[in-house]
Amino acid sequence: MTEPDAAPSSEPGAEPGGTPSTEPGGTPSTEPGTDTGAARRSRRRHQVGGGNGVRARGRHRGGADERFGATVDALGAVARDGAGVSASIIDTSTGKALLAVDDTLVQPVASLGRILLLIEVAARLEDGRLHGDRLQRMARDTATGAGLWQFLQEPTMQVPDLATLVGATADAWATNALLSTVGIDAVRQRAEALGIDRTALIDRVRDRRGPDDAPDASVAPTGELAWLMRGLALGEVVDEAVSNRVLGWLSLASDTSLVAGSFGLDPLAHRALDHGLQAVVVTGSSTGVRAEAGILRGPGSSVSYAVTVTFDDVTLQRRLAVVEALRTMGTEVLEAVHAPARR
């Protein structure tokens, strides 16, 4: 990963969106990017929000580099307490899987699907279908979730500025305005064109979800999310220009409360190198969901990662236990990027 506004150098590796199948020890059992449609269809699929309303739970198995022993223990502890856990860590340069815990399990990821929306917006800005268009703040787009636009006096904003708000604060109104403009079908088609078949933005941001609404704003397996972040870092998502636009927006993200809380970076200004570190972090939070996808470049190597925990959010103690487990993962991610990549 280079500076967000610069063109990343290309590295050999898998296509973004491929989901590695790993053996114990974290070594991919097939070459990344060679996953066939038949193989994907033959795999046991985990569905979210089945007919009985119960979310799927994985078996919490997978391979792990020995450097992530504390992460496995911490995630295992919250899993034993009834949480649904999924995690993936990939060496950005080599594509080697360093950690895989139920990384094919599709789980709700709150607003994390906004990454796909930003990819579509960036692609349209690059090919000229969107310009500096000003979008009107509409009643249909209002939601009292995250973000700043709902508190600003300006009733219209240019598309790039709205994308900046989405990247920086997961702005609910800006997300809905952009989604109304490009359309959810276009976001889905873009994901499919990138080979992403199980990560999806399925609904707008809503204050309340009724029986006729999607149960979650977006869903994803962490394996796909980690590969998507790797693809952005390598400039392979659509092309370098699109990847750089998306990285530039996401590099402004101010939420470093989960995994990235262990990186020691300034949460409001971490675009530049800081003690040899540079991070791009995207989080998704809702009741009973904590998710994060990111890229951390360090003095020795770079990793792309994703983690999701779904849990019964009935007490603050249980929520804090989840946050603590995610920060344990962050500590070991930080340690890993200080060591040279293992070829």
Coordinates of all heavy atoms in Angstrom, one line a residue, residues 256-304:
T256 N -11.3 4.2 14.9 CA -10.2 3.2 15.2 C -10.5 2.5 16.5 O -9.5 2.3 17.3 CB -8.8 3.9 15.1 OG1 -8.8 4.9 16.1 CG2 -8.5 4.4 13.8
S257 N -11.7 2.2 16.8 CA -12.1 1.7 18.1 C -12.0 0.2 18.3 O -12.1 -0.3 19.4 CB -13.5 2.1 18.5 OG -14.5 1.6 17.5
L258 N -11.8 -0.5 17.1 CA -11.8 -2.0 17.2 C -10.4 -2.5 17.0 O -9.5 -2.3 17.8 CB -12.8 -2.5 16.2 CG -14.3 -2.0 16.4 CD1 -15.2 -2.5 15.2 CD2 -14.8 -2.4 17.7
V259 N -10.1 -3.2 15.9 CA -8.8 -3.8 15.7 C -7.8 -2.7 15.7 O -6.7 -2.8 16.3 CB -8.8 -4.6 14.4 CG1 -7.4 -5.1 14.1 CG2 -9.8 -5.7 14.4
A260 N -8.0 -1.7 15.0 CA -7.0 -0.6 14.8 C -6.8 0.2 16.1 O -5.9 1.0 16.2 CB -7.5 0.4 13.7
G261 N -7.6 -0.1 17.1 CA -7.4 0.6 18.4 C -6.0 0.2 19.0 O -5.5 0.8 20.0
S262 N -5.4 -0.9 18.5 CA -4.1 -1.4 19.0 C -3.0 -0.9 18.2 O -1.8 -1.2 18.5 CB -4.1 -2.9 19.1 OG -5.1 -3.4 20.0
F263 N -3.2 -0.1 17.2 CA -2.1 0.4 16.3 C -1.4 1.6 16.8 O -0.3 1.9 16.4 CB -2.6 0.7 14.9 CG -3.2 -0.5 14.2 CD1 -4.0 -0.4 13.0 CD2 -3.0 -1.8 14.6 CE1 -4.6 -1.5 12.4 CE2 -3.6 -2.9 14.0 CZ -4.3 -2.7 12.9
G264 N -2.0 2.3 17.8 CA -1.4 3.5 18.3 C -1.4 4.7 17.4 O -0.6 5.6 17.7
L265 N -2.2 4.7 16.4 CA -2.2 5.8 15.5 C -3.2 6.9 15.9 O -4.1 6.7 16.7 CB -2.6 5.3 14.1 CG -1.7 4.2 13.5 CD1 -2.2 3.7 12.2 CD2 -0.3 4.8 13.3
D266 N -3.0 8.1 15.4 CA -3.9 9.2 15.6 C -5.2 8.9 14.9 O -5.3 8.7 13.7 CB -3.4 10.5 15.0 CG -4.2 11.7 15.3 OD1 -5.4 11.6 15.6 OD2 -3.7 12.9 15.3
P267 N -6.4 8.7 15.6 CA -7.6 8.3 14.9 C -8.1 9.3 13.9 O -8.9 8.9 13.0 CB -8.6 8.1 16.1 CG -8.0 8.9 17.2 CD -6.5 8.8 17.1
L268 N -7.7 10.5 14.1 CA -8.3 11.6 13.2 C -7.3 12.0 12.1 O -7.7 12.7 11.2 CB -8.6 12.8 14.0 CG -9.7 12.6 15.1 CD1 -9.9 13.9 15.9 CD2 -11.0 12.1 14.5
A269 N -6.1 11.4 12.1 CA -5.1 11.8 11.1 C -4.1 10.7 11.0 O -3.0 10.7 11.6 CB -4.5 13.1 11.4
H270 N -4.4 9.6 10.1 CA -3.4 8.5 10.0 C -3.2 8.2 8.5 O -2.9 7.1 8.2 CB -3.9 7.3 10.7 CG -5.4 7.0 10.4 ND1 -6.4 7.3 11.3 CD2 -6.0 6.4 9.4 CE1 -7.5 6.9 10.8 NE2 -7.3 6.3 9.6
R271 N -3.2 9.2 7.7 CA -3.0 8.9 6.2 C -1.5 8.8 6.0 O -1.1 8.0 5.1 CB -3.5 10.1 5.4 CG -5.0 10.3 5.5 CD -5.5 11.3 4.4 NE -5.7 10.6 3.1 CZ -5.8 11.3 2.0 NH1 -5.8 12.6 2.0 NH2 -6.0 10.6 0.9
A272 N -0.7 9.6 6.6 CA 0.8 9.5 6.4 C 1.4 8.5 7.3 O 0.8 8.0 8.2 CB 1.4 10.9 6.7
L273 N 2.7 8.1 6.9 CA 3.4 7.2 7.7 C 3.6 7.7 9.1 O 4.0 8.9 9.3 CB 4.8 6.9 7.1 CG 4.7 6.0 5.8 CD1 6.1 5.9 5.2 CD2 4.3 4.6 6.2
D274 N 3.4 6.9 10.1 CA 3.6 7.3 11.5 C 4.3 6.1 12.2 O 3.8 5.0 12.4 CB 2.2 7.5 12.1 CG 2.3 8.0 13.6 OD1 3.4 8.0 14.1 OD2 1.2 8.3 14.1
H275 N 5.6 6.4 12.6 CA 6.4 5.3 13.2 C 6.5 4.1 12.2 O 6.5 2.9 12.7 CB 5.9 4.9 14.5 CG 6.1 5.9 15.6 ND1 7.4 6.3 16.0 CD2 5.2 6.6 16.3 CE1 7.3 7.2 17.0 NE2 6.0 7.4 17.2
G276 N 6.5 4.4 10.9 CA 6.6 3.3 9.9 C 5.3 2.6 9.6 O 5.3 1.6 8.9
L277 N 4.2 3.1 10.2 CA 2.9 2.5 10.0 C 2.0 3.3 9.1 O 2.0 4.6 9.2 CB 2.2 2.2 11.3 CG 2.9 1.3 12.3 CD1 2.2 1.4 13.7 CD2 3.0 -0.1 11.8
Q278 N 1.2 2.7 8.3 CA 0.1 3.4 7.6 C -1.1 2.4 7.5 O -0.9 1.2 7.2 CB 0.6 3.7 6.2 CG -0.4 4.6 5.4 CD 0.0 4.9 4.0 OE1 0.8 4.1 3.4 NE2 -0.4 6.0 3.5
A279 N -2.2 2.9 7.8 CA -3.4 2.1 7.9 C -4.6 2.7 7.1 O -4.8 3.9 7.0 CB -3.8 1.9 9.4
V280 N -5.4 1.8 6.6 CA -6.7 2.1 6.0 C -7.7 1.2 6.7 O -7.5 -0.1 6.7 CB -6.8 1.9 4.5 CG1 -8.2 2.1 4.0 CG2 -5.8 2.8 3.8
V281 N -8.6 1.7 7.4 CA -9.5 1.0 8.3 C -11.0 1.3 8.0 O -11.3 2.4 7.8 CB -9.2 1.3 9.8 CG1 -10.2 0.6 10.7 CG2 -7.8 1.1 10.1
V282 N -11.8 0.2 7.9 CA -13.2 0.4 7.7 C -14.0 -0.4 8.7 O -13.7 -1.6 8.9 CB -13.6 -0.1 6.3 CG1 -15.1 0.4 5.9 CG2 -12.7 0.4 5.2
T283 N -14.9 0.2 9.5 CA -15.6 -0.5 10.5 C -17.1 -0.5 10.2 O -17.6 0.3 9.5 CB -15.4 0.1 11.9 OG1 -15.8 1.5 11.8 CG2 -13.9 0.1 12.3
G284 N -17.7 -1.5 10.8 CA -19.2 -1.6 10.7 C -19.7 -2.0 12.1 O -19.2 -3.0 12.7
S285 N -20.6 -1.2 12.6 CA -21.1 -1.5 14.0 C -22.6 -1.3 14.0 O -23.2 -0.3 13.5 CB -20.5 -0.5 15.0 OG -19.1 -0.7 15.1
S286 N -23.3 -2.2 14.6 CA -24.7 -2.1 14.9 C -25.0 -3.0 16.1 O -24.1 -3.6 16.6 CB -25.6 -2.5 13.7 OG -25.4 -3.9 13.4
T287 N -26.2 -3.0 16.6 CA -26.6 -3.8 17.7 C -26.2 -5.3 17.5 O -26.7 -5.9 16.6 CB -28.1 -3.7 18.1 OG1 -28.4 -2.3 18.3 CG2 -28.4 -4.5 19.3
G288 N -25.2 -5.8 18.3 CA -24.8 -7.2 18.2 C -23.9 -7.5 17.0 O -23.6 -8.6 16.7
V289 N -23.3 -6.4 16.4 CA -22.4 -6.6 15.3 C -21.2 -5.7 15.5 O -21.4 -4.5 15.7 CB -23.0 -6.4 13.9 CG1 -22.0 -6.5 12.8 CG2 -24.2 -7.3 13.7
R290 N -20.0 -6.3 15.4 CA -18.8 -5.5 15.3 C -17.9 -6.1 14.2 O -17.6 -7.3 14.2 CB -18.0 -5.5 16.6 CG -18.7 -4.7 17.7 CD -18.8 -3.2 17.4 NE -19.4 -2.5 18.5 CZ -20.7 -2.3 18.7 NH1 -21.6 -2.8 17.8 NH2 -21.2 -1.5 19.7
A291 N -17.6 -5.3 13.2 CA -16.8 -5.8 12.0 C -15.8 -4.7 11.6 O -16.0 -3.5 11.8 CB -17.8 -6.1 10.9
E292 N -14.7 -5.2 11.1 CA -13.7 -4.3 10.6 C -12.9 -5.0 9.4 O -12.7 -6.2 9.5 CB -12.7 -4.0 11.7 CG -11.6 -3.0 11.2 CD -10.8 -2.5 12.4 OE1 -11.4 -2.2 13.4 OE2 -9.5 -2.3 12.3
A293 N -12.6 -4.2 8.4 CA -11.7 -4.6 7.4 C -10.6 -3.6 7.2 O -10.9 -2.4 7.4 CB -12.5 -4.8 6.0
G294 N -9.4 -4.0 6.9 CA -8.4 -3.0 6.8 C -7.1 -3.5 6.2 O -7.0 -4.6 5.8
I295 N -6.2 -2.5 6.0 CA -4.8 -2.8 5.5 C -3.9 -2.1 6.5 O -4.1 -1.0 6.8 CB -4.6 -2.2 4.1 CG1 -5.7 -2.6 3.2 CG2 -3.3 -2.6 3.6 CD1 -5.9 -1.6 2.0
L296 N -2.9 -2.8 6.9 CA -1.8 -2.2 7.8 C -0.5 -2.5 7.1 O -0.1 -3.6 7.0 CB -1.9 -2.7 9.2 CG -0.8 -2.0 10.1 CD1 -1.1 -0.6 10.3 CD2 -0.8 -2.8 11.5
R297 N 0.2 -1.4 6.8 CA 1.6 -1.5 6.3 C 2.5 -1.1 7.4 O 2.3 -0.1 8.1 CB 1.8 -0.6 5.1 CG 3.1 -0.7 4.4 CD 3.3 0.2 3.2 NE 3.6 1.6 3.7 CZ 3.8 2.6 2.8 NH1 3.7 2.4 1.5 NH2 4.0 3.8 3.3
G298 N 3.6 -1.9 7.6 CA 4.5 -1.6 8.6 C 5.9 -1.7 8.1 O 6.2 -1.8 6.9
P299 N 6.9 -1.5 9.0 CA 8.3 -1.5 8.5 C 8.8 -2.8 7.9 O 9.7 -2.8 7.0 CB 9.1 -1.3 9.9 CG 8.1 -0.7 10.8 CD 6.8 -1.3 10.4
G300 N 8.1 -3.9 8.2 CA 8.6 -5.2 7.7 C 7.7 -5.8 6.6 O 8.2 -6.4 5.6
S301 N 6.4 -5.6 6.7 CA 5.5 -6.2 5.7 C 4.1 -5.5 5.8 O 4.0 -4.5 6.6 CB 5.3 -7.7 5.9 OG 4.8 -7.9 7.2
S302 N 3.2 -6.0 5.0 CA 1.9 -5.4 5.0 C 0.8 -6.5 5.1 O 1.0 -7.6 4.4 CB 1.6 -4.5 3.7 OG 0.3 -4.1 3.6
V303 N -0.2 -6.3 5.8 CA -1.3 -7.3 5.8 C -2.6 -6.7 5.5 O -2.9 -5.5 5.8 CB -1.4 -8.1 7.2 CG1 -0.1 -8.8 7.5 CG2 -1.8 -7.1 8.3
S304 N -3.5 -7.5 5.0 CA -4.9 -7.1 4.8 C -5.7 -8.0 5.6 O -5.4 -9.2 5.7 CB -5.3 -7.3 3.3 OG -4.4 -6.6 2.4

